[in-house]
Amino acid sequence: MRAPAVLAAALAVLAVLGGVVWWQSGARWRGELYCFADPARVWGVADRPADLTPSCPSSRGVRREVRSGQTRVEQFTLARWDPALVRDLLTARGYAVAHALPDDGIQAEAVLTRAGETVLYTAAHQGSGTFVTLSSPGER
């Protein structure tokens, strides 16, 4: 009985080390979701609802800016029009709406702030769905 527990612990350690090697090797930056520290979370502060699909800009320039820390960006697609979903996730985690523009038929926008951080929130119509972009200056 002890051998399976030791084996399980060894496999867990190898998985963690593999994740660290993946992160340090730069493989994250080549992947489709390179802009997320954790694709299961929204902006690192809220669990991502299952119907919210994460994505990152395909631009090599944006990829380079994110990797260097100049820019932070996350994108999400939702099959229905719900411009408040992601914004509400962030405000529930302490972000305040500093300024907002209502839906003008093209998109809804807001500037969110928390502890000195500023996040630009854009929810654009994408057919009957929503395309959300969160962005901010990087951590440099």
Side-chain angles (χ1 to χ4, degrees):
M1 289 275 183
R2 188 144 167 60
V6 170
L7 179 60
L11 289 174
V13 168
L14 286 174
V16 168
L17 289 175
V20 168
V21 168
W22 172 81
W23 183 270
Q24 295 297 323
S25 72
R28 168 186 173 210
W29 306 111
R30 291 187 295 275
E32 185 178 313
L33 296 178
Y34 70 89
C35 64
F36 288 85
D38 182 356
R41 301 188 58 78
V42 174
W43 210 247
V45 298
D47 290 337
R48 180 180 53 82
D51 57 348
L52 200 59
T53 305
S55 65
C56 297
S58 59
S59 163
R60 288 183 190 191
V62 173
R63 187 179 301 259
R64 190 172 36 255
E65 288 178 12
V66 169
R67 185 175 187 171
S68 70
Q70 296 173 336
T71 301
R72 183 172 175 198
V73 62
E74 292 182 3
Q75 297 176 324
F76 304 94
T77 303
L78 185 63
R80 65 184 185 281
W81 176 241
D82 188 352
L85 176 69
V86 174
R87 186 190 66 215
D88 291 349
L89 288 171
L90 295 177
T91 58
R93 299 311 186 279
Y95 285 85
V97 177
H99 179 73
L101 296 175
D103 179 9
D104 62 2
I106 299 171
Q107 64 189 23
E109 297 178 17
V111 174
L112 308 173
T113 60
R114 182 179 84 163
E117 178 185 22
T118 300
V119 179
L120 176 60
Y121 170 86
T122 306
H125 287 269
Q126 190 174 55
S128 61
T130 311
F131 183 70
V132 174
T133 301
L134 300 171
S135 61
S136 74
E139 299 174 13
R140 287 185 135 190

